[in-house]
Structures are given as C-alpha cells and as structure tokens.
C-alpha cells in the first residue's frame, strides 16, 4: 500500500508514505545516540558514483601512512621510546595529523566495514591506552589522562595550570593541537562504538578540567584568544555521553565570550579575523544550545552562519583568503592573491550546518551543504592520486597544489583526511516521524527504527533527476524531499522524475 501527498514546505516536498513490505533493520550505534537526527554511517550505503569513488580512493591514500610515525610524538611526551621517527612537517603541532587519522579510520570502518581501517583504529587506541597509562606514571603532577604530542608539554601545561600564560602564549595553538585527539577518541566511540576510546576520551576531558580549574574568567578569555578550535564542542559531547554536568560547565568555560556576546546580539565583528579559528567555536555554541536550551548560544551560532554564508562565501561554498575573513574593502584580494578559501573552513562550516539543521531543519542549510560539498569538498581531492588541497584559489588562471602521502602535514591535509569518510552523513536525516532526503547522491538508507530501506539512484550533478525506491520495510512516515533553489521553472510539473516505487 502506498499513499503520497505533496506539499511545499520550507523548500522541501513533503510526502506522507504508508508502506508495507518485508522489514529489516540494523542495531543503532553510538552516532545516533549522540546526534538525534543522524543515521549511523553503517545505515547509509554509498552506491556507485563520484562520492563512492572519492571515499574509496581516500582509503587507498590513508593506508599509505605509517601509524607508528604518527604516534611517535605521543610516546615521546609520555617518556616512552618511539617505535619510529616522527613525521617532520609542521613541527610544533606534533601529533595533530595522527589525531585526525584516528577519526578517519573510525569513520571509514563505520561506513565500509574495511578491515584494515578497523585494525589500524584498534592499534592506535591500544597504543594510546599505553601512552595514557605511561603519562600517569611518568608525569603524575600534570599528565594524568594526557594524550598530547606537543614538544615541551610539561612546562606548558604545568605553567598554565597555575595561571602563568607566558609559555602558552609562546606556543603554537596548544588547545588546537590537543583538540584533535579529543575529537579522534570521541569519533572512535561515536562511529565505531569503541568503549576503550570512550574511556580514554573522558579521562582526557578530566585532565582538561584539571588544567583550567583555577583560572578565573579573565585568564580564560586571555587563553581563548589563541586558536583552540572546538574544545567547547567536545566537552558538550562529553556531557551528552556521560550525563555528568561538569562537562557541560567546562564547555561553557571554553566558550570565547569575545565572540559569543557580540554575535548573540547580531553584531558582526569578524572582519580580518582568522577564519578557521572562529568557525569551530560556533560549532560548540550550537552544540551547547542543543543540549542546554541556552538561547544566547543558539542566537550566536545562527547569526555567525548567516553572515559567513551570505556575506563571506564564494560561489563554490568556500570562505576566507590568506586564512582570514576579508573586510568589504579588501575582498578584491580573492582575485589578487594566491591563497583562497581553506578546505578546513568548509569542513567545519558543514559540521556547523549539521548542528543548526538538527536544531531547525530548514532547507537553507541543505542548500549550503549541497553547494559546498559538491563544489569545494569533493574537488579538494585529486581524482587520480588522491592528494589533498590546502587552498582553493579564486585567482583567475591559478592552479591547485595537492599533497602527497606522508608529506605536507598541514592543517587541511589532516582535516581533509576526514572529509570523504562521511559523504553519507547528511544525505538523509530523520526527525520524529519524518525522513529528510537532503542531498542527491546515489545511496541506500536503512532506517532501522522504522524497518524501512530507501534506495536513491542518480547521476547528479551530471543529471537533474533522482529516483527513489522503497525496497524494504513496513512503516508510515513523512518523506521530506529537498526542493533545490537551482531547480528550473516548472519543476513541479516534472515530479515524475522523482519516482517512488514499491
């Protein structure tokens, strides 16, 4: 039995579907427990097409990295002999690539079941367990729970703990560096249900709370003036994982009031600021708003998204030049300078978009997500050797510079490791009794709660059509299909191109 009713609602087609077919389902993993509207990556299967090709090529590239070299900085700081020499690039941010690598292994395992990714993820987590225990023994006064690879960690964190920010201010983005491991461990639990990673993550969170425990509000603000990315976001997630309110309090303490306060009042203070320093802060604001219901945090994150997307974003979805938000007067720099939008910025803007969509599923978020995913994120990977792009220049007749495996350990190389692993994350979302089809990507979603499987067949963006088939299940639900702004006039009359067959 099938009932379909079309209405236009916030640029979505809304369909009421009543379906009776043999059911099937998958056990929910941590991802759907932490983020209420997301499907687990193993519930969304990429089918043949450019997204599947990009993900599989990325796995090939990732498996060329030497895990022991990535882990060497962490063993050194814990007083352990490294098993291999560390990578030399971006010394001072030692370890940040390995932390992203852990996230990538967890996501790829969740999305594909790849045995090599699982083996590497397990090896990294076991090594980190050894390293965390060694820190507790070798650095008991400051390192219980520590999992950082930064040179001079002992002096840095011991001084910061007593309120002396001198070493902190002279060190390259300390919390930025540590945050990548916070996120990696969270993601290993989030995407792969690894409980040892969860334990290590919460231990690490406890260390961070200990470090900032005696800092007053002024010292916290001075500390947060340096790049610290999404520390407030990971602490908000720690609260949701554990239900311990100390982590939510820490998330609020890690929230930079210099940005929170003015943007909550719709005051734009972003001109000439370092762009990717700011984006993750608002991911944290949105997450705190979602978990605490604090209106101020939601207002700030929504206004930030609006002013970045509407006033600072180029046609392909990227933002910033020379890593900074230009003033209106200096926007001509986009065509005069080489360093255009960073891939990191778009990666984090998509994460913020996911958060805001969960708070309020408006089509404008799907519009931006589609534009940026297909035009910036997808194009940041070389189609043959799989190298990564740091800057996408908007300068006429310029070119792109791609990384090579085990070389160029910059921020975007490490961040982009994660991009292609979760192409399937936002294609479909759900809310109450509604299934949202946000992106036109060849894929199949198994809605385990409903026991329904939906298959999408499309060659988008090579064609402006998609076919939806309910292949398994028995359920009644609302199907909300994204109505894109780029659709030509008369799109309603061509709804036969959007087929649902049982």
């Amino acid at each position: 039995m099938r009932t379909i009713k079309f209405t236009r609602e916030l640029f979505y087609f809304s369909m009421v579907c009543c379906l009776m077919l043999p059911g099937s389902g998958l056990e929910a993993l941590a991802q759907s427990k932490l983020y209420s509207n997301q499907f687990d990556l193993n519930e969304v299967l990429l089918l043949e097409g450019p997204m599947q090709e990009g993900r599989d090529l990325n796995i090939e590239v990732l498996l060329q990295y030497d895990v022991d070299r990535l882990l060497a900085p962490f063993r050194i700081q814990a007083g352990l002999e490294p098993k291999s020499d560390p990578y030399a690039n971006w010394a001072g941010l030692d370890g940040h690539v390995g932390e992203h690598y852990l996230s990538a292994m967890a996501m790829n395992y969740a999305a594909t079941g790849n045995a090599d990714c699982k083996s590497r993820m397990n090896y990294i987590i076991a090594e980190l367990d050894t390293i965390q225990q060694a820190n507790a023994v070798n650095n008991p006064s400051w390192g219980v729970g520590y999992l950082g690879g930064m040179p001079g960690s002992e002096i840095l964190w011991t001084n910061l703990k007593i309120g002396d920010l001198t070493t902190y201010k002279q060190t390259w983005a300390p919390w930025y560096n540590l945050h990548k491991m916070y996120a990696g461990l969270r993601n290993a639990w989030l995407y792969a249900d690894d409980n040892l990673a969860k334990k290590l993550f919460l231990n690490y969170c406890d260390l961070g709370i200990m470090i900032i425990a005696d800092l007053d509000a002024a010292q916290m603000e001075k500390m947060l003036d340096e790049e610290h990315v999404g520390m407030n976001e990971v602490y908000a997630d720690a609260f949701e994982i554990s239900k311990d309110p100390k982590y939510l309090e820490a998330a609020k303490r890690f929230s930079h009031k210099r940005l929170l306060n003015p943007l909550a009042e719709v005051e734009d203070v972003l001109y000439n600021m370092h762009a990717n320093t700011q984006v993750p802060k608002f991911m944290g604001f949105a997450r705190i708003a979602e978990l605490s219901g604090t209106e101020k945090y939601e207002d700030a994150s929504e206004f930030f998204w609006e002013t970045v997307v509407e006033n600072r974003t180029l046609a392909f979805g990227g933002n910033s030049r020379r890593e900074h938000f230009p003033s209106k007067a200096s926007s001509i720099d986009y065509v005069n300078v080489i360093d255009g939008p960073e891939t990191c910025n778009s990666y984090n803007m998509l994460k913020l978009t996911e958060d805001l969509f969960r708070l309020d599923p408006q089509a404008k978020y799907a519009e931006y997500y589609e534009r940026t995913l297909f035009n910036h994120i997808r194009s940041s990977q070389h189609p043959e050797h799989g190298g990564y792009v740091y800057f996408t220049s908007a300068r006429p007749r310029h070119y792109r510079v791609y990384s090579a495996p085990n070389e160029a350990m910059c921020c975007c190389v490490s961040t982009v490791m994660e991009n292609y692993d979760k192409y399937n994350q936002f294609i479909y979302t759900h809310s109450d009794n509604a299934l949202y089809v946000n992106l036109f990507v060849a894929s199949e979603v198994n809605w385990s709660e409903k026991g329904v499987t939906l298959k999408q067949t499309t060659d988008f963006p090579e064609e402006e059509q998609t076919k939806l088939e309910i292949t398994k299940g028995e359920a009644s639900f609302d199907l909300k299909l994204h109505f894109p702004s780029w659709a030509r006039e008369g799109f309603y009359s061509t709804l036969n191109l959007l087929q649902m067959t049982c």
Side-chain angles (χ1 to χ4, degrees), residues 36-39 357-358 361 429-436 447 449-450 477-478 480:
S36 59
N37 73 331
Q38 287 186 6
F39 289 99
F357 185 87
R358 193 163 51 251
T429 55
H430 60 87
S431 177
D432 298 326
N433 198 46
L435 173 66
Y436 288 81
W447 194 0
E449 291 182 359
K450 295 290 187 181
F477 61 92
D478 296 334
K480 295 184 179 291

Side-chain angles (χ1 to χ4, degrees), residues 128-173:
L128 293 175
D129 186 27
T130 298
I131 291 166
Q132 195 173 75
Q133 292 180 48
N135 271 311
V137 173
N138 297 332
N139 303 305
S141 64
W142 65 274
V144 177
Y146 190 61
L147 283 171
M150 298 191 67
S153 288
E154 179 176 2
I155 296 174
L156 168 65
W157 301 113
T158 299
N159 287 350
L160 181 60
K161 184 178 181 297
I162 61 174
D164 181 353
L165 275 73
T166 304
T167 305
Y168 178 87
K169 289 286 188 178
Q170 295 171 347
T171 305
W172 189 4

Side-chain angles (χ1 to χ4, degrees), residues 2 89 95 127 158 259 269 339 361 367-368 399 416 459 479 487:
R2 178 182 64 183
N89 292 290
E127 281 288 295
T158 299
L259 275 295
V269 296
D339 297 339
E367 286 284 316
Y368 170 75
Y399 52 85
V416 175
D459 286 330
L479 179 64

